[in-house]
Amino acid sequence: MSASETDRIPEGVIERLPTYLSVLIQLRQEGSYTVSSATLGEMTEVNPAQIRRDLTHFGSFGKRGVGYEITMLTDKIQHILGSDHTHRLVLVGAGHLGSAIASYSGLRARGFLVSAIFDNDPQKVGGRIGDIIVRDTCELGRVVAEQSIAVGVIAVPPKAAQEVANIMCESGIRVILNYSANLVKVCEGVTLHNTDPVRELLHTLYYLSRAEGVARV
Amino acid sequence: MSASETDRIPEGVIERLPTYLSVLIQLRQEGSYTVSSATLGEMTEVNPAQIRRDLTHFGSFGKRGVGYEITMLTDKIQHILGSDHTHRLVLVGAGHLGSAIASYSGLRARGFLVSAIFDNDPQKVGGRIGDIIVRDTCELGRVVAEQSIAVGVIAVPPKAAQEVANIMCESGIRVILNYSANLVKVCEGVTLHNTDPVRELLHTLYYLSRAEGVARV
DNA sequence: TAGATTGTTAATCGATTAACAATC
DNA sequence: TAGATTGTTAATCGATTAACAATC
């Protein structure tokens, strides 16, 4: 029955949790106290039965006849994802994209703190993004190891991406988010997410040429 | 057999095509002429059988005993996705993220052309990003309609996102890529992709707290 | 020809959904 | 209590994979 810690949770479930979280935070800001799976389903475009099913992997958080208490469910999901405490991250690449990520307020709001920024362009090293000074990429490994940082974000040109990923893996990074156009490989034990904006545009483009084949992606 | 135009193609297949494309382009740059599903599978971390299965939805592009001709397969996939010709897009939001998107070389390289950039901050209107002048968001609808632009990218603060999406839908945009932290809703017939960087970080974060539960995402 | 690798089928696996008893 | 909505089961649906005959 539910909540068994040893459950292997399907990937799809984990993907949907942050989406539920976004909507819950939005609802809380609007002053709601409880929400039903029906409403949550309408807002996230996920089948209500699926939402209930997803949540039972971790416990039973609702009240029959009432729904889910928003604050409580928010806390639970944040705890499941591990975003109930702050995670420091390193960012490599101080170009436009890197600057955008570093100065994105949504990061801090959801538990991430940019600890250091790196670039190998001498013109950028020593400059600042917000109140963080850009360091030379040759310091990346040392900083990650010394500060035991677990999360790394790659925002460098495609050709440099794999090299950065290698350094990250060697120095003990556990989660990598790669924004470059090249796919990278990581060693065993490191969680990787390749997320190229243009790749996502191409994906949606498919539906453009098909008059009827429109989809929510 | 295969390639029947009326096939309903699974969403997963469409998601993987741009990934295959990335790797094919990479291989071509390295000077290869053909590639087997085994190699492609290793590089994309997709099961070779699945790659072959995916491709049969659109035709049979390989030679038994040989593999796939890289240039030919690249062209085919680009044709399927519709990226064999240029797509103009409008970008709303001239902040850090918007600037990063607008000046990202990967866009042009894969068939996208930023036609216009909008912002509602009077301080930004009239300024330039690259060689494009930032216009007031109140002109968005008119420009989209006049130039029949089909693709729109949202890079505004969360609270403004839905309003921008509404204008886009009304003026005839067909595909929307939403980078804001808020989910938006679009009307029937518009393809939407919500892609918030922090949501993706949260997703990968799940695996951080689970020593063994590491995954490629 | 022999070796390699595709295209395709059939089997497996897992995820989604509908339905409903439990219960607030 | 009656109405609402959850948690959970069982049925459906679709996607992934293994296997192999076709064939380059």
Side-chain angles (χ1 to χ4, degrees), chain B residues 172-191:
Chain B
I173 285 283
R174 300 288 319 284
V175 170
I176 294 179
L177 194 59
N178 172 30
Y179 276 103
S180 87
N182 267 12
L183 301 175
V184 303
K185 292 277 215 171
V186 296
C187 53
E188 196 77 7
V190 175
T191 301

Side-chain angles (χ1 to χ4, degrees), chain A residues 11 42 179 185 197 200 207, chain B residues 11 42 179 185 193 197 207:
Chain A
E11 179 64 22
E42 207 205 328
Y179 276 105
K185 292 275 213 172
E200 301 194 21
Y207 298 98
Chain B
E11 178 64 22
E42 207 205 327
Y179 276 103
K185 292 277 215 171
H193 192 89
Y207 298 99

Side-chain angles (χ1 to χ4, degrees), chain A residues 52-91:
Chain A
R52 298 199 299 275
R53 190 76 170 61
D54 284 355
L55 293 176
T56 57
H57 284 105
F58 307 99
S60 52
F61 307 131
K63 273 205 176 51
R64 291 167 199 236
V66 180
Y68 300 89
E69 216 243 287
I70 291 172
T71 309
M72 188 268 235
L73 188 56
T74 305
D75 290 349
K76 289 288 184 189
I77 294 180
Q78 281 179 335
H79 179 73
I80 293 164
L81 292 172
S83 73
D84 51 355
H85 57 278
T86 301
H87 292 268
R88 287 167 301 138
L89 63 81
V90 290
L91 170 65

Side-chain angles (χ1 to χ4, degrees), chain A residues 3-34:
Chain A
S4 124
E5 295 290 330
T6 48
D7 250 359
R8 257 270 283 320
I9 316 288
E11 179 64 22
V13 177
I14 309 301
E15 269 176 47
R16 287 185 290 271
L17 289 181
T19 307
Y20 302 155
L21 201 53
S22 291
V23 169
L24 287 168
I25 290 170
Q26 210 172 319
L27 283 168
R28 190 170 48 180
Q29 280 170 358
E30 291 166 9
S32 309
Y33 287 97
T34 60

Side-chain angles (χ1 to χ4, degrees), chain B residues 81 143 174 203-204:
Chain B
L81 291 172
V143 171
R174 300 288 319 284
H203 164 197
T204 57

Side-chain angles (χ1 to χ4, degrees), chain A residues 90-140:
Chain A
V90 290
L91 170 65
V92 184
H96 287 286
L97 183 57
S99 306
I101 295 168
S103 47
Y104 179 46
S105 64
L107 271 180
R108 188 165 295 195
R110 278 180 281 176
F112 292 98
L113 184 68
V114 179
S115 271
I117 303 175
F118 300 88
D119 204 296
N120 61 5
D121 177 351
Q123 293 219 305
K124 284 185 184 136
V125 174
R128 333 184 90 187
I129 295 181
D131 48 6
I132 301 171
I133 291 171
V134 178
R135 308 192 203 194
D136 194 291
T137 307
C138 69
E139 295 184 55
L140 171 61

